[in-house]
């Protein structure tokens, strides 16, 4: 929420967009939300968050580009309250964690943590990850961009991350810890400047937001208490507002003015009434020595926000949460996710929500900036004198929470088999595995359970089942006569096994060589599946037939020439990956489009009698030389060990392929002295540098 003079800074989606030129590539992301709109998240939020520019979600090449961008982040995590689950994001490179906390604990915090190479961004406020939250509602949020040049913001972001695992404990995962660690490592060497005036506050069952807020008020009389909230507990005496006033101190609030600003309900074509629970409207604050009133927040959009038009005046739904307490010399303010309810402000004890926000304390002239947090009101104020029930519109109760299998912690694909190159389905439970009868099956096939209460791991999945899971990205959980769709995730160590395009065959040798030669883009490697909007499988005219009309795919001399022309591209691709994230390194060296994959395709050509063993041996040696040369590339200091380990894994895999090739078919290569002299001449100098 901001002033009328800074409209250019009011669009929340602009705060999501990364400044890649200044802060580097996006490395990781962790978001918490009460509700998630998967369509908005996939088609609007993610392209903006990843800095992908103009976006058309029906474009297959765009979607492949997004998948590659997500695959190169070290971890991308979205946590939410499972009772509002409406589907998972489209990419399995996003870990989606919908859960219900112990004893029904509700995740209501709205935090977005983004880690870039030279910045850590934290957006905290009231907006859910929905189109309404980021595009249409009247929300409040504060973007913190911590860099080496902003010591005070670095301290505040670090303050938020120091205890983040405690409130989010039920939802916490290794991927979430990976993002937190990346953020703290990025900020580790930056100068911090602690402040007593700004406090990031997490609140949950063990820590009351009301206690944290009121403890920061000095021994000073209070002139005004303003509370902005769209939702309220249906209580007056003994309710959360009364309890907050009591904690501030009866002596301090005597003579103060209390303003409750809430959602506007149309009263006529031009007037509005406040929308609150009936019991709150009927509350009489006068016995407390407080003059109270309720008023609606003006829902109108400023003409400047719609191009200056005055003939069109849309409205915004209030979703902001703000509390401002003012005295003669001090102002204390809260912005964040907490509605002014018993559960939101920590008056419900262990059943209080998980919330997040920032508390500001200002004195003197510096406190004037906090006045902009209070939105404009509209309509006649309703006095809190015990007679206001008929002057408000009752706030209806919402009870559309989804039934959820709280005994399931997560369902994920994890590596298994030889070399951990296969996937199995595993369920983690919050209770002993035989305590609740349940079954887990494919979404569109409940006939054969994949898992049940006696089996928590499936073994290596057969290709048909795996392809279905990769496409559906969710399973059906059935228990106690109930049934819901539950998202599946992928273990961090298994992300390398995910295809960029589920159901598509891995790229063959021709496509890999064309990519390394610069003839096609990464997103052009994968053809769209049936029914997708893009139908052009060959956007650059790349075919297997040369200008003479001769198919060259089976002519070995052409194959080797194409390979030699790709060697520089392999080195360039590895050099680019060396400066990226650890996951980007793994993808470029070990993934579907990598020297290791190319080596596998070369050996496949031999087994299919499309290549001689000698020609393939030459190719494998040159791939090993590229990997050896990559050890000398510039790598960020924090990832040098990872780069060395990844190159070592790749070298071992290619050398194994070469050893098997030498022994294959009676040892055709084994007795060729010229090949061994060539191999030693190429690889021994590399090993010595």
């Amino acid at each position: 929420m901001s002033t009328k003079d800074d409209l250019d800074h009011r669009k929340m989606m602009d705060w999501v967009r990364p400044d890649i030129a200044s802060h580097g590539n996006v490395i990781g992301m962790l978001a918490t939300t009460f509700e998630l709109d998967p369509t908005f998240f996939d088609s609007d939020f993610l392209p903006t968050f990843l800095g992908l520019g103009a976006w058309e979600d029906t474009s297959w090449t765009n979607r492949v580009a997004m998948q590659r961008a997500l695959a190169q982040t070290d971890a991308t995590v979205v946590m939410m309250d499972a009772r509002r689950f409406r589907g998972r994001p489209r990419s399995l490179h996003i870990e989606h964690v919908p859960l219900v906390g112990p004893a029904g604990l509700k995740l209501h915090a709205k935090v977005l943590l983004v880690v870039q190479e030279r910045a850590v961004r934290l957006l905290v406020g009231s907006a859910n990850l929905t189109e309404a939250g980021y595009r249409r509602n009247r929300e409040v949020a504060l973007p913190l961009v911590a860099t080496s040049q902003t010591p005070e913001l670095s301290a505040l972001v670090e303050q938020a991350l120091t205890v983040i695992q405690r409130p989010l404990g039920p939802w916490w995962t290794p991927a979430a810890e990976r993002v937190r660690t990346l953020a703290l490592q990025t900020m580790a060497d930056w100068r911090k400047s602690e402040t007593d005036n700004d406090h990031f506050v997490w609140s949950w069952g063990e820590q009351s937001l009301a206690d944290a807020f009121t403890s920061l008020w000095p021994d000073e009389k209070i002139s005004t208490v303003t509370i902005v909230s769209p939702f309220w507990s249906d209580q007056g005496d003994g309710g959360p507002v009364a309890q907050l006033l009591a904690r501030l101190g009866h002596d301090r609030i005597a003579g103060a003015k209390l303003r409750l600003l809430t959602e506007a309900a149309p009263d006529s074509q031009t007037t509005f009434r406040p929308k609150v629970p009936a019991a709150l409207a009927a509350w009489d604050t006068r016995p407390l020595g407080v003059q109270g009133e309720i008023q609606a927040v003006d829902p109108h959009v400023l003409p400047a926000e719609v191009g200056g038009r005055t003939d069109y005046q849309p409205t915004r739904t209030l979703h902001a949460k703000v509390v401002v307490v003012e005295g003669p010399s001090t102002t204390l303010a809260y912005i964040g996710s907490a509605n002014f309810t018993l559960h939101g402000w920590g008056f419900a004890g262990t059943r209080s929500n998980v919330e997040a926000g920032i508390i500001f304390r200002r004195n003197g002239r510096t406190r004037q900036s906090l006045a902009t947090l209070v939105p404009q009101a509209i309509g006649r104020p309703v006095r809190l004198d015990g007679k206001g029930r008929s002057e408000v519109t009752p706030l209806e109760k919402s009870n559309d929470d989804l039934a959820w299998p709280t005994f399931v912690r997560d369902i994920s694909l994890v590596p298994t088999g030889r070399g951990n190159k296969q996937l199995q389905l595993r369920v983690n439970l919050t209770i002993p595995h035989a305590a609740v009868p349940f079954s887990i099956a494919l979404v569109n096939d409940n006939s054969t359970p994949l898992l049940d209460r006696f089996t928590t791991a499936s073994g290596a999945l057969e290709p048909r089942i795996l392809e279905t899971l990769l496409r559906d990205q969710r399973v059906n959980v059935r228990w106690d006569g109930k049934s819901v769709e539950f998202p599946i995730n992928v273990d961090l160590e298994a992300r390398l096994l995910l295809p960029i395009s589920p159901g598509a065959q891995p790229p063959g040798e021709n496509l890999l060589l064309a990519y390394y030669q610069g003839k096609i883009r990464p997103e052009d490697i994968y053809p769209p599946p049936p029914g997708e909007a893009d139908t052009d499988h060959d956007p650059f005219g790349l075919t297997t037939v040369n200008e003479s009309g001769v198919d060259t795919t089976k002519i070995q001399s052409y194959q080797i020439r194409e390979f030699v022309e790709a060697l520089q591209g392999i080195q360039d691709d590895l050099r680019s990956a060396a400066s990226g994230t650890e996951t980007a390194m793994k993808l470029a060296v070990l993934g579907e489009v990598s020297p290791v994959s190319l080596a596998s395709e070369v050996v496949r050509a031999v087994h299919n009698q499309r290549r001689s063993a000698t020609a393939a041996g030459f190719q494998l040696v040159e791939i090993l030389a590229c990997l050896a040369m990559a050890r000398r590339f510039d790598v960020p200091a924090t990832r040098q060990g990872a780069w060395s380990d990844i190159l070592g894994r790749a070298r071992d895999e290619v050398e194994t392929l070469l050893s098997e090739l030498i022994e294959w078919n009676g040892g055709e290569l084994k007795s060729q002295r010229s090949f061994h002299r060539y191999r030693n001449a190429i690889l021994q100098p590399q090993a010595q540098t």
Side-chain angles (χ1 to χ4, degrees):
M1 200 174 296
S2 41
T3 67
K4 296 180 181 180
D5 299 324
D6 60 352
L7 296 179
D8 290 341
H9 302 287
R10 297 182 71 172
K11 297 177 181 178
M12 286 190 60
M13 288 302 292
D14 288 343
W15 299 346
V16 172
R17 183 174 293 106
D19 183 354
I20 293 176
S22 300
H23 301 147
N25 292 320
V26 174
I27 300 175
M29 183 266 273
L30 168 63
T32 69
T33 184
F34 180 55
E35 297 190 65
L36 173 73
D37 176 354
T39 301
F40 159 78
F41 189 80
D42 286 332
S43 62
D44 195 350
F45 182 90
L46 278 180
T48 304
F49 154 70
L50 292 168
L52 295 178
W55 191 256
E56 175 51 61
D57 196 54
T58 60
S59 166
W60 176 250
T61 54
N62 276 4
R63 287 168 60 176
V64 171
M66 178 188 290
Q67 184 81 335
R68 281 182 55 83
L70 286 169
Q72 293 183 59
T73 62
D74 276 2
T76 305
V77 185
V78 178
M79 301 174 176
M80 68 172 295
D81 194 276
R83 286 160 287 205
R84 295 306 177 98
F85 177 75
R86 300 295 183 268
R88 87 171 322 282
R90 194 161 45 208
S91 175
L92 282 172
H93 286 288
I94 297 169
E95 183 176 83
H96 187 201
V97 189
L99 281 178
V100 175
L105 185 70
K106 182 178 293 185
L107 175 56
H108 199 255
K110 287 91 171 173
V111 170
L112 174 64
L113 171 66
V114 180
V115 186
Q116 292 180 248
E117 293 170 304
R118 296 181 295 278
V120 177
R121 296 187 291 133
L122 189 67
L123 180 65
V124 57
S126 60
N128 287 302
L129 277 170
T130 62
E131 182 188 12
Y134 275 76
R135 293 288 190 188
R136 292 188 278 113
N137 289 345
R138 190 178 300 278
E139 306 276 4
V140 62
L142 180 68
L144 304 172
V145 182
T147 69
S148 59
Q149 305 303 313
T150 57
E152 68 287 351
L153 297 182
S154 300
L156 194 57
V157 171
E158 191 173 76
Q159 186 184 116
L161 299 183
T162 300
V163 298
I164 189 173
Q165 313 101 303
R166 292 182 61 196
L168 298 178
W171 291 264
W172 204 249
T173 66
E177 179 60 25
R178 176 64 176 155
V179 179
R180 187 185 88 98
T181 300
L182 285 169
L184 292 175
Q185 287 176 343
T186 301
M187 297 188 295
D189 296 329
W190 297 348
R191 182 171 58 90
K192 310 295 192 305
S193 178
E194 299 288 349
T195 174
D196 293 331
N197 296 321
D198 298 337
H199 301 266
F200 193 102
V201 56
W202 290 99
S203 57
W204 67 103
E206 299 177 13
Q207 182 165 315
S208 164
L209 172 56
D211 287 345
F213 183 79
T214 56
S215 67
L216 295 172
W217 184 256
D219 187 14
E220 182 179 320
K221 288 283 289 183
I222 294 171
S223 56
T224 306
V225 176
T226 303
I227 303 174
V228 182
S229 178
F231 301 104
W232 310 78
S233 294
D234 193 10
Q235 294 173 285
D237 284 330
V241 179
Q243 291 192 51
L244 178 75
L245 297 178
R247 296 192 188 198
L248 288 170
H250 291 294
D251 292 340
R252 294 184 187 134
I253 65 167
K257 181 177 181 179
L258 172 68
R259 298 185 70 207
L260 308 183
L261 300 181
T262 187
E263 171 67 359
D267 191 27
S268 68
Q269 290 186 340
T270 58
T271 60
F272 295 88
R273 291 155 58 103
K275 196 173 184 179
V276 294
L280 182 59
W283 182 34
D284 188 353
T285 62
R286 291 176 298 179
L288 300 176
V290 173
Q291 177 189 344
E293 65 181 33
I294 306 172
Q295 197 169 8
V297 170
D298 188 350
H300 294 115
V301 175
L302 295 173
E305 295 185 68
V306 288
R309 291 178 59 179
T310 57
D311 59 326
Y312 170 65
Q313 200 169 26
T315 59
R316 295 193 190 279
T317 299
L318 177 69
H319 198 253
K321 292 90 166 149
V322 176
V323 175
V324 180
V325 178
E326 298 173 89
S329 60
T330 303
T331 298
L332 189 68
Y334 166 86
I335 67 169
S337 60
N339 290 302
F340 215 87
T341 61
L342 291 171
H343 290 84
W345 270 70
F347 296 112
T350 57
R351 295 178 295 111
S352 298
N353 298 343
V354 178
E355 307 279 5
I358 295 182
I359 300 173
F360 306 92
R361 186 171 63 186
R362 297 288 187 271
N363 299 96
R365 293 181 179 179
T366 62
R367 65 191 186 131
Q368 295 175 357
S369 62
L370 298 180
T372 63
L373 295 173
V374 179
Q376 295 292 318
I378 194 171
R380 187 175 64 83
V382 175
R383 295 181 61 189
L384 287 172
D385 57 3
K387 305 175 184 178
R389 187 186 296 265
S390 62
E391 299 182 59
V392 303
T393 296
L395 182 67
E396 61 273 11
K397 293 183 179 180
S398 174
N399 189 25
D400 59 350
D401 288 346
L402 181 71
W404 195 254
T406 56
F407 53 89
V408 177
R409 176 67 177 78
D410 67 74
I411 303 174
S412 56
L413 293 170
V414 300
T416 189
R418 181 184 176 186
N420 279 338
K421 289 193 173 183
Q422 293 176 289
L423 291 172
Q424 67 173 339
L425 192 68
R426 183 182 66 193
V427 59
N428 287 325
L429 304 177
T430 60
I431 58 175
H433 70 271
V436 176
F438 72 91
S439 65
I440 295 172
L442 297 176
V443 170
N444 296 312
D445 181 8
N446 286 321
S447 59
T448 305
L450 299 173
L451 299 171
D452 57 33
R453 62 172 171 160
F454 300 109
T455 59
T456 56
S458 65
L461 293 163
E462 60 178 277
R464 179 186 66 85
I465 298 295
L466 177 59
E467 182 177 333
T468 301
L469 290 173
L470 293 177
R471 183 186 65 246
D472 292 347
Q473 304 173 350
R474 62 199 192 284
V475 291
N476 190 273
V477 178
R478 305 182 70 175
W479 82 104
D480 194 26
K482 304 180 182 69
S483 176
V484 299
E485 292 183 357
F486 197 106
I488 60 175
N489 288 311
V490 177
D491 189 84
L492 277 178
E493 294 304 314
R495 287 179 63 194
L496 197 63
L497 303 177
L498 286 178
I500 291 294
S501 174
Q505 292 295 320
E509 184 180 3
N510 288 339
L511 283 172
L512 291 172
L513 293 179
Y515 166 70
Y516 286 127
Q517 290 169 350
K519 294 179 179 178
I520 61 174
R521 302 169 301 177
E523 51 266 36
D524 297 317
I525 293 175
Y526 302 93
E532 289 292 341
D534 288 357
T535 57
D536 187 357
H537 293 194
D538 195 17
F540 290 90
L542 177 69
T543 66
T544 59
V545 180
N546 67 8
E547 294 178 356
S548 66
V550 177
D551 187 347
T552 61
T553 59
K554 297 181 181 179
I555 302 176
Q556 185 164 278
S557 60
Y558 280 97
Q559 296 166 352
I560 300 303
R561 186 183 72 182
E562 292 291 312
F563 174 79
V564 171
E565 291 176 354
L567 288 175
Q568 184 60 51
I570 294 174
Q571 293 179 26
D572 292 343
D573 201 59
L574 292 175
R575 192 184 305 275
S576 176
S579 61
T581 66
E582 184 174 335
T583 303
M585 292 175 176
K586 290 179 180 178
L587 284 172
V589 178
L590 301 164
E592 275 191 338
V593 181
S594 70
V596 171
S597 290
L598 180 57
S600 297
E601 291 299 314
V602 166
V603 173
R604 189 192 308 275
V606 176
H607 293 311
N608 292 338
Q609 298 183 343
R610 293 185 288 107
R611 187 79 37 83
S612 71
T614 300
F618 158 77
Q619 292 177 278
L620 295 184
V621 168
E622 291 296 333
I623 289 173
L624 284 169
C626 288
L627 293 171
M629 187 175 298
R631 291 180 303 176
R632 302 197 297 269
F633 293 162
D634 291 334
V635 181
T638 57
R639 294 194 284 277
Q640 288 176 352
W643 180 243
S644 179
D645 290 344
I646 292 165
L647 290 176
R649 285 176 56 185
R651 183 191 63 243
D652 290 345
E653 292 196 33
V654 178
E655 285 183 342
T656 298
L657 289 171
L658 180 57
S659 297
E660 292 173 350
L661 180 66
I662 291 173
E663 298 293 333
W664 181 75
N665 198 21
E668 173 188 336
L669 282 177
K670 202 168 188 178
S671 59
Q672 291 189 18
R673 294 182 179 179
S674 59
F675 173 75
H676 291 289
R677 285 198 300 268
Y678 164 75
R679 177 187 182 185
N680 292 335
I682 295 296
L683 297 182
Q684 283 185 354
Q686 299 286 357
Q688 294 169 3
T689 57

